[in-house]
Amino acid sequence: MLTFDDVHFYYQKGEPIIDKLSFTIEAGEFVVMLGANGCGKSTIAKLMDGLLLPKGGQVRFKNLSTLNPADLIKIHEQIGVVFQNPEDQFITTTVMDEVIFGLENIRLPREDIRVRAEHALQAVQMEDYSEAMPHQLSGGQKQRVAIAAILAMSPQIIIFDEATSMLDPLGRKQVLSIIQQLHRQGMTIVHITHHMEEALLAERILLIHQGRLEFDGDPLTFFETVPVTDYQLDEPFALRIHKKLRPSVPLTADWKEMIRSEWSMN
């Protein structure tokens, strides 16, 4: 569905940010992308959506290529990005206008715009704030409006680029709950994060190191085999608790439920 084929990218020639990167994300997957600061994760997000173009190789969405200018409009409509700071995406004066703006850009019939916008705000539980000014909202509420603006355009993939990093615990919990709900409804999710606890939500983990793909697989294998501290990452708190409580018990296929059970009993 979304394919990186030997992608190479640099901002300054001779200093590659992304180097020979190849992977494919299939429809309906929930992928978490991990890596230390500066490893290239946000650059990858922009390459996925065609906001940046590869210097070598190709990024393809289905039969569309970001290198083809005629394909870029279709790609932007089908792949949405929620960035770290929601204020970077706001350009209007009310929440409803913010959601409507993208729909007007894709020339949606006027009779459909209001309905789509209202449904999107309901999906993120922000319908009561439709006439509020975005700058008056909390961080979590702003991020939910940013998500609604993407949802209204009915994309097939949503990329969350460190979308929870600036939020307080309640805001993070609300946004993560929306991400999980969207995935259950069939949305393809790419969640870029440095919060290792959020990696527990994934079906698949991509580990990026110095612009290269170091690991591609399921979370169980990742946490069993990858020395995460070597990549300037921490083990999730729940996993550290498990190792303290039962250091001799290996993780099993139901490891997430096992950790939840141990945590609730102790």
Side-chain angles (χ1 to χ4, degrees), residues 4 15 17 23 87 91 98 107 110 115 125 141-142 146 183 226:
F4 273 50
E15 300 179 13
I17 303 296
F23 61 82
E87 293 186 359
I91 58 172
E98 192 63 41
R107 299 181 178 87
R110 182 162 294 278
V115 173
Q125 299 177 354
Q141 289 172 332
K142 290 176 182 176
H183 177 245
V226 176

Side-chain angles (χ1 to χ4, degrees), residues 14 29 38 139 240 263:
E29 282 196 295
R240 298 200 303 271
W263 179 247

Side-chain angles (χ1 to χ4, degrees), residues 95-96 99 117-127 130 145 148:
V95 166
M96 179 59 76
V99 179
E118 288 175 351
H119 285 169
L121 287 172
Q122 289 169 6
V124 299
Q125 299 177 354
M126 287 296 293
E127 64 271 23
S130 62
V145 172

Side-chain angles (χ1 to χ4, degrees), residues 232-253:
Q232 302 175 45
L233 300 171
D234 297 321
E235 289 182 331
F237 178 73
L239 188 58
R240 298 200 303 271
I241 290 294
H242 169 75
K243 289 184 176 180
K244 290 286 186 182
L245 294 175
R246 297 188 179 183
S248 61
V249 178
L251 296 176
T252 59

Side-chain angles (χ1 to χ4, degrees), residues 126-251:
M126 287 296 293
E127 64 271 23
D128 293 338
Y129 297 85
S130 62
E131 299 307 316
M133 290 183 283
H135 74 270
Q136 294 178 328
L137 304 175
S138 69
Q141 289 172 332
K142 290 176 182 176
Q143 201 60 288
R144 284 151 62 192
V145 172
I147 295 171
I150 297 297
L151 277 179
M153 299 179 71
S154 299
Q156 295 190 31
I157 299 176
I158 299 182
I159 302 163
F160 294 87
D161 184 11
E162 303 278 9
T164 63
S165 65
M166 298 179 65
L167 304 181
D168 61 22
L170 177 59
R172 279 186 62 204
K173 182 178 179 180
Q174 291 170 337
V175 170
L176 289 172
S177 176
I178 290 169
I179 292 173
Q180 290 176 280
Q181 181 181 356
L182 291 173
H183 177 245
R184 286 193 294 268
Q185 294 170 351
M187 181 70 69
T188 305
I189 301 292
V190 179
H191 183 37
I192 299 171
T193 183
H194 65 268
H195 290 294
M196 294 298 285
E197 284 77 11
E198 297 176 11
L200 301 178
L201 304 176
E203 297 174 335
R204 177 183 173 194
I205 288 177
L206 302 179
L207 175 64
I208 307 299
H209 180 62
Q210 296 180 351
R212 291 177 176 265
L213 184 62
E214 292 285 307
F215 177 89
D216 180 356
D218 64 89
L220 173 59
T221 304
F222 176 78
F223 287 114
E224 277 192 324
T225 63
V226 176
V228 296
T229 55
D230 290 356
Y231 298 95
Q232 302 175 45
L233 300 171
D234 297 321
E235 289 182 331
F237 178 73
L239 188 58
R240 298 200 303 271
I241 290 294
H242 169 75
K243 289 184 176 180
K244 290 286 186 182
L245 294 175
R246 297 188 179 183
S248 61
V249 178
L251 296 176

